[in-house]
Amino acid sequence: MNGLVFLIPIALGLGLLGLAAFFWALRQGQFDDLDGAALRILVEDEEEPAS
């Protein structure tokens, strides 16, 4: 029983920390363009001519 006194607050704290990190990333715009990076690999860049 004594272990639960320490483990429950630690688990709740880590959960709140993860939730805060998610909301921070959401507010910073980390999830704005989900398809851009996936489609960018399909676009061929123009190569500069060798001189």
Side-chain angles (χ1 to χ4, degrees), residues 4-32:
L4 291 178
V5 173
F6 295 109
L7 291 178
I8 290 176
I10 290 173
L12 289 174
L14 287 174
L16 289 175
L17 184 67
L19 190 62
F22 171 74
F23 282 126
W24 174 82
L26 190 65
R27 198 169 296 158
Q28 296 297 318
Q30 295 293 317
F31 305 114
D32 284 347

Side-chain angles (χ1 to χ4, degrees), residues 22-45:
F22 171 74
F23 282 126
W24 174 82
L26 190 65
R27 198 169 296 158
Q28 296 297 318
Q30 295 293 317
F31 305 114
D32 284 347
D33 186 18
L34 296 177
D35 293 328
L39 297 175
R40 199 172 305 132
I41 196 169
L42 300 175
V43 176
E44 292 185 22
D45 294 333

